Amino acid sequence: MMLYVVIVYLWVALLLYLLLGGADFGAGIIELFTSEDNKAKARKLMYEAIGPIWEANHMWLIIAIVILFVGFPGIYATMSIHLHIPLVIMLLGIIARGTAFAFRNYDAVHDNMQKVYNKIFVYSSFITPLFLGVIAGSAVSGQIDIHANTFLSAYIYSWFNWFSITIGFFTVALCGYVAAIYLIGEANDPAEKKRFVRKAWQMNIAAVVAGALVFIAAIDDGIPLVQWVFGNPVGIIAVAAATISLVILWYFIIRGRSKSLRLLAGLQITMILLTTTYKHYPNIVVLKNGGYLSLIENKGADKAIEALGWALLIGSVFILPALVYLIYSFQKRDKSTD
Amino acid sequence: MDDFIAARSQMALSLGFHIVFSCIGMVMPFFMAISHFYWLKTKDPVYKNITKAWSKGVAIFFATGAVSGTVLSFELGLLWPKFMEHAGPIFGMPFSLEGTAFFIEAIALGFFLYGWEKFNPWFHWFTGVIVGISGIVSGILVVAANSWMNSPAGFDYVNGQYLNIDPIKAMFNAAWFEQALHMSIAAFAATGFAVAGVHALMIIRKKNAKFHYMAFRIAIVFAAVAAILQPLSGDISAKSVAKRQPAKLAAMEADFKTERSVPLIIGGIPDTKTKKVNYAIKIPGLLSFMTYDDFNAEVTGLDRIPVKDQPPVAIVHYAFQIMVGLGMLMLGLSLLYFFALIKKKKWFKANWFLKLFVAAIPLGFIALEAGWTVTEVGRQPWIIQGVMRTADAVTPMPGIHYSFYLFTAVYLSLSLVVIFMLYRQIKMVPKMYDTEIADPIS
Ligand code: HDD
Ligand code: HEM
Ligand code: HEM
């Protein structure tokens, strides 16, 4: 029983990382594609919108990692060995981004160093989700070969394939999209709102294009993605819901309903994660020889799962109210200064 | 460089880097809470300025501590997958609780940093206190995980299998309390001396003397109390090491021969070939007394430990000497401070007195790194004492030395940038927080 609690937490942690962390990465991605004269304004807005919850955001990733190594140590170990290189690149991205964010906001002197921090920030905002996507893609791409005996097949081809890379770009586009939607609601003046609406369009198109590429790459790499997504009712319903919500989404944008907009975009991301994980569950890592690493068969000792489950449940009792109150307090402030 | 050494070096580097930031992130919130409290009580704006200036520093350290911690949680697997595969479920309990503590810390920090003038002042103050408390709790929990590696518990090791896992017993292993206590006190001592020293330097330079003097007073009290407690707690640690890891104790003391009435060896150069320590000061019977409260007790020497199970003696011995030596120095400074406070208030204006504290800026952190070297290198060749060897835990991936060089470069440049930022922060104090320069001592 506790096993399922733990699995739900793992999934929710990933989802929230994609949503909240995604908005955070996306803000950097948007900055990367914003013209010079608008950058400063966009930056200030993003800082105000994201600053207060910034530290809390990347906790979701840490929670997912802790759940993996306490609850599913075999899966954690296999991924750590075979995806070592993309993991290291992602980590470098996390270091660069986190520190650049802190430096640009807390440096006492505002001079040319700011330009350096900004550069680091925007590029690492791009690299980090790219490799996050690559890692997720590699887990299911069936290229991880635990019996590999050459360096290339053990540590490179495990992740360096079209499928994983297109998933990486898809993730980047999704992050940009989430951020744009989020920032539409935060924007203070109509011109700025318009800019973010345009960004949301562009990111949406990018996501659709990258999504199409993922399917093409899947066919090319022999991955039954079409069957995973459309081979079951949940997948079809989720895809349908995502598509319909896209239409509603543009209606909301035109009507300027930023709250509903956010909910809807969140729903879309949830649906995307659901379709891609549902058919797979519980086999979260697909191996080269056709084998799987299953969350059920590769679970850690029962007592460890039990303790982990309780820790997560009890932790939530403390964390969720505080987090909600944090977000609520700063939302309220936004409204009052409008 | 071979991959195994590279992996160990990378781990040591990452932890050595993280520990500095996490200690500051753990302790500074308490300093802030005190000055914030004075501000709310006295309405003296200098206290508000101190709180604000410190909180900027904390935000920088917190972010750097958080990213380096995130990196660590991956590195455990990237470098030691075989270890994590078995140890993860056993010693994971503190890590999962720590997740909660970090989360609360991060949320409270959000309230604190962005909450000036937005909340009830006492609620705002309280969120700062929560940052400190949850920081300490995370520190204690992660050290409990580390102490499990020194004193494994909560499972039965049968034929290479880990059976009857009990994460709660693993967390409350025989070493957790001593280590957590010693570590928490060390964090206060190290951060306290560093902060006090920086403000002492600014007083000498006569920049905003009032501001810096008030900041100095807050930091130094924490530092001095901690530094006085530190040797007491260290003594408890040493007794605990003697019980659970005799090889580590023998290496710390470069004690080559098992015998009764062993002297305490101070300094000296251990020679593993002749099994002697040259040029050392020896205090008869003191080691026996310190470990077993009996001048005649027998202490296990390295001769009882198979060579393949011995840690590198010289490194552990030197590191231990450095820690204890610096600990004594800090103890002396603390006593001097309290003496001045009671008897010689005018010393606070004297440059020679302030300069002592400037010189003490790095001492605590050097002692801290040395202490971890004792703990970690002293455990070698085991990653889990007596159960799993470090060499059996390392990743099969070749080329780790490249990763080590890469991380070295990253951490090195990060450290430089952080120092540069702090320098700018301190330099800006007169501009941002200008107040009249009154006589600081009145
Ligand atoms: C400000 C830093 C600092 C200072 C002044 C001292 N220590 Fe320490 N010591 C640490 C910081 C530290 C540490 C870095 O925090 C360690 C590493 C692991 C731990 O639990 O604490 C440590 C470990 C450590 C250990 C090994 C514990 C283990 O392996 O489980 C012993 C025996 C001592 N210390 C003893 C002392 C003594 C007798 C001191 C006398 C002055 C002393 N320490 C001062
Ligand atoms: C004695 C050793 C350690 C101590 C005392 C310690 C303490 C802390 C503290 C107090 C923080 C909060 C950040 C701050 O205030 O700057 C922190 C952050 C962190 N630490 Fe450590 N840590 C230690 C070792 C480790 C290890 C070995 C790991 C990983 C396995 C780790 C993982 C983390 C993570 C993931 C964070 C980020 C959490 C956040 O975002 O707030 N730490 N550490
Ligand atoms: C933050 C303070 C810490 C510092 C400065 C530190 C320092 C070191 C050093 C110097 C080594 C290398 C030892 C050698 O190879 O000879 C090492 C290894 C290691 N440490 Fe720590 N350590 C700290 C805390 C921790 C904690 C809290 C954990 C885990 C919970 C941990 C886990 C490890 C592991 C897995 C290794 C590699 C295996 C080994 O060498 O035994 N360390 N650390």
Side-chain angles (χ1 to χ4, degrees):
Chain A
M1 191 47 225
M2 249 336 164
L3 178 62
Y4 296 101
V5 173
V6 170
I7 291 175
V8 168
Y9 267 94
L10 179 61
W11 194 82
V12 171
L14 283 179
L15 176 67
L16 288 174
Y17 191 58
L18 196 59
L19 282 176
L20 300 172
D24 181 4
F25 290 130
I29 296 168
I30 291 182
E31 195 177 324
L32 181 63
F33 295 110
T34 298
S35 64
E36 270 318 312
D37 21 317
N38 288 329
K39 264 192 177 134
K41 241 172 143 187
R43 204 149 39 225
K44 186 162 172 291
L45 181 70
M46 282 173 226
Y47 172 68
E48 280 169 3
I50 292 176
I53 55 167
W54 187 79
E55 287 291 349
N57 267 349
H58 69 275
M59 283 307 302
W60 302 111
L61 180 64
I62 295 169
I63 293 207
I65 287 300
V66 170
I67 293 180
L68 267 188
F69 77 59
V70 178
F72 313 96
I75 298 178
Y76 174 77
T78 307
M79 289 182 67
S80 299
I81 294 174
H82 291 280
L83 302 178
H84 191 115
I85 295 168
L87 279 166
V88 165
I89 299 175
M90 183 186 78
L91 286 180
L92 293 175
I94 289 179
I95 300 180
R97 212 184 107 81
T99 43
F101 180 88
F103 292 166
R104 76 179 189 176
N105 291 318
Y106 302 115
D107 193 347
V109 186
H110 283 257
D111 57 9
N112 278 337
M113 280 305 284
Q114 286 288 334
K115 284 203 185 118
V116 180
Y117 307 145
N118 290 335
K119 274 242 159 56
I120 298 176
F121 181 75
V122 295
Y123 285 107
S124 52
S125 294
F126 186 86
I127 301 282
T128 312
L130 178 68
F131 276 85
L132 194 71
V134 167
I135 291 160
S138 310
V140 296
S141 70
Q143 299 299 324
I144 295 179
D145 184 356
I146 51 176
H147 303 296
N149 44 22
T150 67
F151 182 80
L152 284 178
S153 58
Y155 303 110
I156 303 287
Y157 298 148
S158 50
W159 57 276
F160 195 73
N161 53 61
W162 283 120
F163 180 70
S164 306
I165 291 168
T166 48
I167 295 238
F169 282 103
F170 183 59
T171 313
V172 171
L174 282 186
C175 291
Y177 172 64
V178 174
I181 295 284
Y182 180 70
L183 291 170
I184 292 176
E186 295 290 310
N188 297 321
D189 60 80
E192 204 164 17
K193 247 194 185 67
K194 236 188 179 151
R195 257 210 333 276
F196 286 120
V197 170
R198 208 170 54 239
K199 283 282 174 287
W201 265 117
Q202 290 162 355
M203 290 297 168
N204 198 329
I205 293 168
V208 171
V209 171
L213 287 177
V214 170
F215 275 94
I216 297 171
I219 294 167
D220 198 46
D221 286 348
I223 295 160
L225 184 65
V226 176
Q227 191 242 329
W228 285 344
V229 172
F230 297 106
N232 61 84
V234 173
I236 294 175
I237 293 171
V239 172
T243 318
I244 295 170
S245 61
L246 203 60
V247 180
I248 307 177
L249 190 89
W250 292 113
Y251 173 76
F252 282 153
I253 288 188
I254 294 158
R255 282 330 228 6
R257 297 231 193 111
S258 52
K259 271 248 172 56
S260 329
L261 207 58
R262 282 183 196 174
L263 276 180
L264 215 63
L267 184 80
Q268 282 182 325
I269 304 291
T270 313
M271 289 302 149
I272 290 171
L273 192 66
L274 187 67
T275 32
T276 44
T277 49
Y278 178 77
K279 189 62 210 308
H280 254 278
Y281 171 81
N283 305 321
I284 60 165
V285 176
V286 183
L287 302 174
K288 178 120 189 173
N289 52 14
Y292 291 103
L293 294 181
S294 143
L295 284 174
I296 308 236
E297 284 154 26
N298 291 70
K299 70 179 164 66
D302 287 334
K303 272 237 173 117
I305 298 273
E306 191 90 359
L308 175 63
W310 280 114
L312 290 168
L313 288 172
I314 295 171
S316 312
V317 174
F318 288 101
I319 291 167
L320 290 181
L323 188 62
V324 170
Y325 184 56
L326 177 70
I327 295 174
Y328 167 79
S329 310
F330 288 97
Q331 287 288 328
K332 200 178 61 183
R333 167 198 55 103
D334 286 350
K335 290 289 146 324
S336 63
T337 52
D338 265 358
Chain B
M1 184 186 265
D2 93 33
D3 283 329
F4 177 51
I5 300 294
R8 286 168 60 180
S9 312
Q10 184 178 330
M11 193 74 203
L13 175 77
S14 311
L15 282 156
F17 183 87
H18 179 70
I19 191 72
V20 173
F21 292 87
S22 53
C23 279
I24 294 171
M26 212 150 64
V27 171
M28 283 300 282
F30 289 102
F31 296 0
M32 276 150 48
I34 299 289
S35 93
H36 197 171
F37 179 85
Y38 285 143
W39 149 242
L40 292 175
K41 276 282 168 213
T42 65
K43 295 289 165 206
D44 182 342
V46 175
Y47 281 119
K48 184 181 181 188
N49 290 340
I50 293 175
T51 314
K52 282 208 166 171
W54 275 347
S55 76
K56 286 249 176 75
V58 165
I60 294 168
F61 276 101
F62 191 90
T64 327
V67 290
S68 59
T70 310
V71 171
L72 275 172
S73 57
F74 283 90
E75 264 178 340
L76 283 176
L78 290 174
L79 299 174
W80 317 102
K82 303 276 162 49
F83 163 65
M84 290 308 284
E85 193 167 350
H86 297 293
I90 313 174
F91 85 153
M93 187 70 198
F95 282 114
S96 32
L97 294 174
E98 195 199 8
T100 303
F102 280 151
F103 222 128
I104 292 175
E105 190 179 359
I107 294 174
L109 191 73
F111 275 115
F112 184 76
L113 288 180
Y114 295 84
W116 287 97
E117 275 102 47
K118 292 198 184 84
F119 298 104
N120 172 311
W122 287 104
F123 173 78
H124 182 224
W125 175 80
F126 183 66
T127 59
V129 176
I130 297 281
V131 175
I133 292 175
S134 45
I136 294 282
V137 172
S138 355
I140 292 175
L141 286 166
V142 79
V143 172
N146 175 269
S147 65
W148 176 84
M149 295 161 61
N150 287 327
S151 120
F155 65 101
D156 296 321
Y157 186 61
V158 190
N159 295 330
Q161 289 205 306
Y162 297 74
L163 304 174
N164 301 326
I165 289 173
D166 184 341
I168 311 279
K169 269 201 194 128
M171 185 160 101
F172 295 109
N173 58 71
W176 84 272
F177 180 74
E178 293 86 324
Q179 271 197 247
L181 179 71
H182 196 59
M183 171 73 226
S184 310
I185 299 176
F188 276 97
T191 312
F193 272 109
V195 172
V198 169
H199 291 292
L201 181 66
M202 301 317 278
I203 302 173
I204 294 176
R205 296 206 179 147
K206 305 232 178 329
K207 296 213 174 103
N208 285 57
K210 186 171 183 215
F211 177 100
H212 290 294
Y213 179 70
M214 283 153 95
F216 173 81
R217 285 286 295 267
I218 294 173
I220 196 64
V221 173
F222 279 97
V225 172
I228 291 170
L229 296 176
Q230 191 71 345
L232 301 174
S233 141
D235 181 48
I236 301 175
S237 286
K239 289 190 167 67
S240 144
V241 170
K243 265 189 246 138
R244 70 182 131 92
Q245 292 172 301
K248 185 190 273 182
L249 187 80
M252 276 153 54
E253 278 299 318
D255 174 14
F256 288 103
K257 228 167 91 208
T258 308
E259 54 191 1
R260 295 191 160 274
S261 186
V262 187
L264 183 76
I265 298 181
I266 299 176
I269 301 173
D271 184 336
T272 31
K273 290 221 183 64
T274 58
K275 312 232 176 293
K276 281 220 177 80
V277 187
N278 305 318
Y279 317 114
I281 304 167
K282 297 185 180 169
I283 308 175
L286 194 57
L287 184 63
S288 292
F289 180 74
M290 281 176 65
T291 39
Y292 298 106
D293 292 325
D294 172 2
F295 282 103
N296 242 325
E298 184 182 89
V299 179
T300 311
L302 288 163
D303 53 349
R304 289 264 177 93
I305 319 270
V307 174
K308 68 176 184 12
D309 293 347
Q310 287 183 7
V313 178
I315 298 180
V316 180
H317 179 68
Y318 292 140
F320 188 61
Q321 304 304 307
I322 292 173
M323 169 173 63
V324 175
L326 294 179
M328 291 304 163
L329 216 69
M330 287 154 68
L331 172 70
L333 265 180
S334 308
L335 295 176
L336 187 72
Y337 171 77
F338 283 121
F339 177 75
L341 189 64
I342 298 166
K343 290 265 175 196
K344 301 269 184 199
K345 272 240 162 67
K346 66 172 194 288
W347 283 0
F348 289 135
K349 279 186 186 169
N351 272 2
W352 67 267
F353 184 76
L354 293 167
K355 275 188 186 149
L356 284 178
F357 290 92
V358 176
I361 291 176
L363 298 189
F365 283 100
I366 299 174
L368 195 91
E369 302 283 359
W372 277 104
T373 310
V374 173
T375 304
E376 303 288 304
V377 180
R379 188 179 61 240
Q380 304 305 318
W382 303 102
I383 188 166
I384 310 173
Q385 178 71 38
V387 175
M388 182 189 275
R389 279 171 194 277
T390 313
D392 297 332
V394 72
T395 179
M397 177 156 135
I400 296 297
H401 51 286
Y402 293 114
S403 141
F404 171 60
Y405 298 144
L406 192 66
F407 277 92
T408 308
V410 168
Y411 283 135
L412 212 65
S413 32
L414 267 185
S415 313
L416 292 179
V417 180
V418 169
I419 293 171
F420 169 70
M421 301 261 302
L422 284 185
Y423 168 75
R424 304 229 280 196
Q425 207 82 45
I426 294 164
K427 212 179 64 179
M428 288 300 280
V429 163
K431 272 208 191 115
M432 286 158 79
Y433 310 108
D434 215 4
T435 47
E436 93 289 8
I437 301 172
D439 179 14
I441 300 134
S442 45

